[in-house]
Amino acid sequence: MNQGVVISIRGSVVDVRFDKHLPAIHTLLHAGANQGITIEVLAQQNAHVVRGIALTPTQGLARGMLVEDTQGPLKAPVGKAILSRMFDVFGNTIDQQEPLQDIAWRSVHRAPPPLARRSTQSEIFVTGIKVIDILMPLERGGKAGLFGGAGVGKTVLLTEMIHNMIGHQQGVSIFCGIGERCREGEELYREMKAAGVLPNMVMMFGQMNEPPGARFRVGHAALTMAEYFRDDEHRDVLLLVDNIFRFIQAGMEVSGLMGQMPSRLGYQPTMGTELSQLEERIANTDSGAITSIQAVYVPADDFTDPAAVHTFSHLSASIVLSRKRASEGLFPAIDPLQSSSKMATPGIVGERHYQLAQQVRRTLAQYAELKDIIAMLGLEQLSTEDRNLVARARRLDRFLSQPFFTTEKFTGIKGQLVSLEDALGGCERILNDEFKNLPESAFYMIGKVDEAMAKAASQKQPNSGTNKSPKEHGKTTEGAGHHAA
């Protein structure tokens, strides 16, 4: 047994002297009563002293106390038994259920897959959500950023993606909460259980009140679990990270505590490297793919902030949630004009899909420009051509809304999974004015476009959508939104 002695403590930074053998970087040390304080070695000061950061609170630690070298790094549990469970950064279960059986432990510090093993084919990750699959297709084995404030539907969208991934692609979902509030974790656990998606899901949390060292390592631990399902079980994994900015923030705290010279705006000088070490492990290989959706907080809405700039360089798609669309009852409240994807090129999605997506965007953008004129002068003052464009755009807006499986119990509307072909066909037919005699409300919260006919027949209303004043339009939409909510 290799033992050392604590020689100094400054907050979470602990210096330990070892006379026999100096521990390697990333080694875990145990100290304090019942070895309850865990320290990770981050620097070797000289031939006998190491400097580490505490992953647990340091209350009760004093100079002269004995420290035990575990001779190994931080490890995460892997195996089939971890499914449906909730963990902390050390791999302890925090869901108050029986202890784990038949699991192995792996180091959280792993190298990204070599280029020779990576898939060079760009594949689309089909979510079954119309607006995402048409306008901002996600990459299988890629990373998508999810931007949005509180209450616009980030969690509902993530829950729906988990449901679709598990139910229709036999995949595994891993939720990693970095710097989460305990309320958010508890609510998410209950929602997942109620939605019936917990059996093929793993949750890992590093809460806000935990020391920066623990928050900094929780992402690596979750990725180790994801790599097990990809490499050993050859299953596709959906990794949800909330919030990637807090990972950078924890690294900044650790860097400051270790006495490193701060870089621009106080960020750590090693930010690019640390983020890359995490993001590069998310990849599509010959054995499976880890597809990641990461909630991104942009500090003070400044997209030139170094944290935002470094994160953007890793993302292949951006999904922006709009509070305005949420208030209109158009769920999912994704802003189709602000969101984008690197996959939306003719070489990857095909010429037809690309042209259709461009046409949908163009129609919605022209409608957005006409909104001010409609608000001031009314719809009647527009030319016939513009009136037809507005009618098409409003039908498209409603067609891109979709009932979710995870919200069935709130809305009473059965959830829908829409194939890419059905979604593209629906947009094409709306753009060709095939349904101009149907009311707009027939397209709201449906799956395939054919359902609009049946819905219109059940409503037994003449076409009144395009001739209403903007105020009446607003009322109709808001009413529909409240009904859906």
Side-chain angles (χ1 to χ4, degrees), residues 407-433:
T407 56
E408 272 179 27
K409 55 186 179 296
F410 310 119
T411 60
I413 308 170
K414 196 167 176 1
Q416 299 263 20
L417 187 85
V418 184
S419 71
L420 181 58
E421 192 47 50
D422 288 335
L424 289 173
C427 287
E428 195 168 36
R429 290 168 72 184
I430 291 170
L431 288 166
N432 291 338
D433 284 341

Side-chain angles (χ1 to χ4, degrees), residues 5-56:
V5 176
V6 175
I7 55 173
S8 83
I9 307 155
R10 290 184 311 285
S12 291
V13 180
V14 183
D15 287 357
V16 185
R17 182 181 178 84
F18 286 89
D19 291 322
K20 279 191 203 166
H21 169 69
L22 202 64
I25 303 287
H26 296 323
T27 302
L28 281 195
L29 311 175
H30 288 317
N34 305 321
Q35 305 294 301
I37 295 167
T38 305
I39 301 157
E40 185 181 32
V41 175
L42 287 188
Q44 295 174 334
Q45 300 292 88
N46 56 44
H48 293 290
V49 177
V50 292
R51 177 165 290 175
I53 192 100
L55 305 186
T56 51

Side-chain angles (χ1 to χ4, degrees), residues 394-467:
R394 289 179 67 84
R395 283 177 174 79
L396 276 173
D397 259 345
R398 278 146 192 73
F399 178 63
L400 292 177
S401 70
Q402 187 169 336
F404 282 177
F405 291 98
T406 48
T407 56
E408 272 179 27
K409 55 186 179 296
F410 310 119
T411 60
I413 308 170
K414 196 167 176 1
Q416 299 263 20
L417 187 85
V418 184
S419 71
L420 181 58
E421 192 47 50
D422 288 335
L424 289 173
C427 287
E428 195 168 36
R429 290 168 72 184
I430 291 170
L431 288 166
N432 291 338
D433 284 341
E434 205 175 302
F435 302 103
K436 64 179 179 184
N437 296 323
L438 292 186
E440 287 168 10
S441 56
F443 295 89
Y444 180 69
M445 286 291 167
I446 59 170
K448 296 179 187 176
V449 77
D450 295 330
E451 292 173 30
M453 309 266 218
K455 196 169 176 184
S458 68
Q459 287 175 343
K460 290 182 182 161
Q461 285 178 339
N463 179 21
S464 55
T466 51
N467 299 324

